Each structure stands twice: as structure tokens, then as C-alpha cells.
Amino acid sequence: QVHVVESGGGLVQAGGSLRLSCTASGLLFRDYTLGWFRQAPGKKREGVACINGIGTTTYYTDSVKARFTVDRDNTNNTLYLQMNSLKPEDTAMYYCAVAYYDGDAASVGVLLRRCPEGDFEYWGQGTQVTASS
């Protein structure tokens, strides 16, 4: 059984930083593409950042480029999202999710263009991030 757990959310002032973590168990971690998604009240869930299994290819939504960094530690089955220069519009529930693609080339081919929510099968419960103005 796959189990996904996020941590690291909190309340920070605008301009501050947070580092989210996500652990996933019950699967061969390095074989899976991982993603961070977020949903603000009244808005659709959006893909924030995604990374392929071996950590060589990433995708970022435009609004977080140059501020957020996604990386992974396959030895410890952990995904991270470093968030700098947080803005009030980054306030949302942040979710970690897991997707399987048949081979790294397939994952890279997707991530070079987008991070499709529908491809992600396993989800955590979320961690709240609030950036106050």
C-alpha cells in the first residue's frame, strides 16, 4: 500500500521561506515521478513543480520559477520543495503526489511541457502554507 505524507507547511511573512518535505512508502521510490500541487480556496488545484525519477528533469509553473526549487533524495525516499520569496498568492494547501511513467524517457517527455494532475495516482493529505502580507 502506497503512503504519501507531507510536512513543513506553516505561516510566514511575505518574502520569507519554507521547505516542504514529502515521504512516500510502499513503492520503489526512484521509479516514480513526483509532484507538488497546490489549491487555494475557491481555485482549481494546479501543478507547482514536478521532477522525474532520477531527478534530472523538472517542471515549474510560471508563477514560481526562480523562487521555488524541487529536488529529491532517492536514498531516503523524500521529495522537497524549497520556497523562497513567498508571496501572499502562494497561500494554499500544498499536496505531494506520485505518478508512474513507463520509463524515464516517457516521464521526461511529459515534464518538458507540463505536469498533468491526471497522471498522478497517489496523493498525500496536504500541508498548509500561508504567506501573510
Side-chain angles (χ1 to χ4, degrees):
Q1 184 176 359
V2 177
H3 196 50
V4 180
V5 180
E6 306 95 337
S7 62
L11 172 65
V12 296
Q13 288 191 328
S17 298
L18 282 174
R19 183 172 174 85
L20 304 184
S21 299
C22 167
T23 59
S25 58
L27 47 77
L28 191 55
F29 191 78
R30 66 176 182 269
D31 283 354
Y32 287 80
T33 294
L34 303 174
W36 288 101
F37 295 79
R38 67 185 179 186
Q39 187 168 23
K43 295 189 176 181
K44 291 178 59 178
R45 189 157 58 186
E46 66 169 340
V48 176
C50 296
I51 187 168
N52 68 325
I54 57 175
T56 56
T57 301
T58 56
Y59 164 91
Y60 295 94
T61 193
D62 286 345
S63 63
V64 308
K65 286 179 181 177
R67 298 189 299 123
F68 290 11
T69 302
V70 60
D71 62 14
R72 61 190 294 162
D73 179 351
N74 285 348
T75 299
N76 294 304
N77 285 19
T78 305
L79 172 73
Y80 301 99
L81 183 67
Q82 178 66 43
M83 304 184 294
N84 298 328
S85 302
L86 281 161
K87 303 176 180 180
E89 51 263 43
D90 294 318
T91 295
M93 184 70 78
Y94 282 70
Y95 298 92
C96 173
V98 180
Y100 180 78
Y101 293 98
D102 190 10
D104 187 62
S107 174
V108 170
V110 172
L111 295 186
L112 286 175
R113 297 174 288 112
R114 60 198 176 100
C115 185
E117 179 179 342
D119 289 358
F120 287 76
E121 182 177 1
Y122 303 107
W123 293 78
Q125 293 299 306
T127 186
Q128 178 67 38
V129 171
T130 303
S132 62
S133 58

